[in-house]
Amino acid sequence: MASYFFKNARVVDPVTGLDGDRDVLVVNGIIDRIGENLSASDAQTLDFTGKTIAPGFCDMHVHFREPGQEYKEDILSGAASAAAGGFTAVACMPNTDPPIDNAAVATLILKRAEGLAVDVYPIGAVTKGRKGESIAPMIELRESGCVAFSDDGSPVYNTKVLRTALEYASMLDVPVIQHAEDPHLFKGGAMNESLVSTQIGLPPISRLSEDTVVVRDIAFTAYVDGRYHLAHMSTAGAAEAVRDAKQRGLKVTSEVAPHHFSLTDEALRSYDSNYKMNPPLRTAEDVLAMKEALRDGTADAIATDHAPHAIHEKEVEFVYAPFGIIGLETAFGLSVTELLLDGWLTLPQLIEKLSTNPRRILGLPVIRIEEGQPANFSLLDLAAQWTVDVNDFRSKSRNSPFHGRVLTGKPLGIFNNGQLILNN
């Protein structure tokens, strides 16, 4: 492996508490030296004056469509999109075709990701076929490399199944990640139930669909002393329930997607299906609640819910378009623009939610920027202003509502597994 010398970088590491200008020498993928006024004549030097090195970001919620729908995204294109977004690790949800409900599919994903700069971890299904009826072989899935369990895309709605899943996952020391949704309240809906849905005539989804399931799930988590993680939290009511659970000392965590702290359901007036996601965009009050949840620790992580769809699938009448948007390549810019610049989070707090906390929730080793540690970096330009152009994305898909938006904060690339990947 080559040697790389990052000169004059701002190094921010929430784990060690480091936040200062340093030179960083990486030899054979290992941090050889960190200090001030270092020299390294035999290494490739990169002038990082004004740039930032952070522990590699980890997105604990992506949908890579392999196996089954590789025309939308496969492991290679998904990993390339992650690297462009500054992520050195991702966890893939199991709603593939076939789903990740057996060791063979999990092993396939891990094999496809071998040798990549981005670490790819499968999340096993809670139930066979993600049908919500009978428990998947959770021990087999865990032993094959799955880092959590979820039926994401669908809820684990059957309470008996949920209880069993929480008990098994607790025994395996991993979380159950819940897509909190009451299917009866959700069925037929296309957007958040609000004044906007009434005015533009789109079928609504009540916030109660999310709120009531979260409250119910927390009761089960308390009863069995399980580990519960709420995916893509979107309502003020859900945030309040998670906040209360944390105050009671329950093992409950949550994540927020960038679109849920950046957009409101007012955007749906355009009838642009790139604003159609599940959970749906909520109200301005909910957006503020997500920001407050991130600030006070109710929300532990920022996760993209990266959900690629082909252009022809999204360019249909709104109610018939699939839910979901891509998010890996805009997550950092949105986080800086909406959270850092507006004072909701400090930079170390932002990095915790993009890197450290997702790894802790999934039981992965946290990244420490110290001599002797593997070099696992997100390379960042906090001051860069750029205009989102979906045509520049590494993802195979283009279904982003942020095309044309000016953001501050741009990933420059990543360093991981001995590989330096820089954006153009």
Side-chain angles (χ1 to χ4, degrees), residues 41 44 48 78 92 114 147 151 174 177 201 223 229 260 326 351:
S41 57
Q44 179 181 340
F48 258 57
C92 298
E114 281 182 354
V147 294
D151 275 359
V174 292
I177 301 175
Y223 189 76
H229 179 81
H260 285 132
I326 54 175
I351 293 170

Side-chain angles (χ1 to χ4, degrees), residues 25-160:
L25 175 63
V26 177
V27 178
N28 294 329
I30 303 297
I31 301 172
D32 187 75
R33 284 186 291 161
I34 298 179
E36 300 175 66
N37 301 316
L38 301 181
S39 61
S41 57
D42 295 334
Q44 179 181 340
T45 299
L46 298 99
D47 182 1
F48 258 57
T49 303
K51 309 300 190 296
T52 299
I53 293 177
F57 295 163
C58 175
D59 189 342
M60 62 179 296
H61 188 156
V62 302
H63 299 270
F64 290 173
R65 304 302 192 182
E66 185 175 3
Q69 294 183 313
E70 288 86 349
Y71 67 96
K72 298 183 181 185
E73 197 83 284
D74 57 30
I75 301 298
L76 294 179
S77 67
S81 181
F87 291 91
T88 64
V90 296
C92 298
M93 286 296 177
N95 56 338
T96 49
D97 185 16
I100 311 174
D101 66 354
N102 61 81
V105 181
T107 301
L108 169 71
I109 291 169
L110 290 169
K111 285 284 185 185
R112 290 284 288 153
E114 281 182 354
L116 299 179
V118 175
D119 302 316
V120 179
Y121 300 97
I123 292 174
V126 173
T127 62
K128 294 177 182 176
R130 295 178 50 255
K131 295 180 179 178
E133 297 167 356
S134 56
I135 293 290
M138 296 174 72
I139 295 175
E140 172 187 308
L141 287 164
R142 178 66 172 140
E143 290 177 343
S144 68
C146 291
V147 294
F149 296 99
S150 180
D151 275 359
D152 187 55
S154 302
V156 181
Y157 193 64
N158 182 310
T159 49
K160 186 175 181 179

Side-chain angles (χ1 to χ4, degrees), residues 347-368:
L347 182 57
Q349 288 171 331
L350 179 62
I351 293 170
E352 271 191 325
K353 294 179 191 299
L354 286 166
S355 175
T356 312
N357 289 350
R359 287 187 165 87
R360 284 177 172 150
I361 293 167
L362 298 175
L364 302 172
V366 297
I367 308 303
R368 304 172 67 92

